[in-house]
Amino acid sequence: MIYDHTKIVLEKVSSDPSHFCKELRKANKNLLPYEIEQLRTWLEHFTTGKPELQQYLSIMN
């Protein structure tokens, strides 16, 4: 449930890279390891063509 909420929030704040980064950090702290893996996969697809967001994917490593 938190995983789905995290995706919704990330989609909503994706127009503001600094807020997107903040939400990624929260997700990294709050999600379970397998959820982080799922989110990482989702993020790779979601950020395709969005270089302003791709730079923050390293937070999830």
Side-chain angles (χ1 to χ4, degrees):
M1 196 159 152
I2 293 174
Y3 170 76
D4 292 327
H5 175 72
T6 299
K7 285 183 3 182
I8 291 167
V9 169
L10 288 170
E11 287 174 342
K12 287 182 180 181
V13 301
S14 64
S15 60
D16 180 357
S18 64
H19 196 171
F20 186 82
C21 177
K22 177 182 168 188
E23 293 299 330
L24 277 181
R25 290 179 201 271
K26 276 198 231 177
N28 206 30
K29 290 179 186 175
N30 296 325
L31 295 176
L32 297 171
Y34 78 93
E35 292 173 318
I36 290 173
E37 280 299 316
Q38 289 177 339
L39 187 64
R40 190 176 296 131
T41 301
W42 178 81
L43 283 166
E44 288 174 8
H45 296 287
F46 180 73
T47 60
T48 299
K50 299 176 183 167
E52 69 279 6
L53 300 179
Q54 288 176 343
Q55 63 183 330
Y56 299 115
L57 296 185
S58 62
I59 291 170
M60 299 307 291
N61 291 332

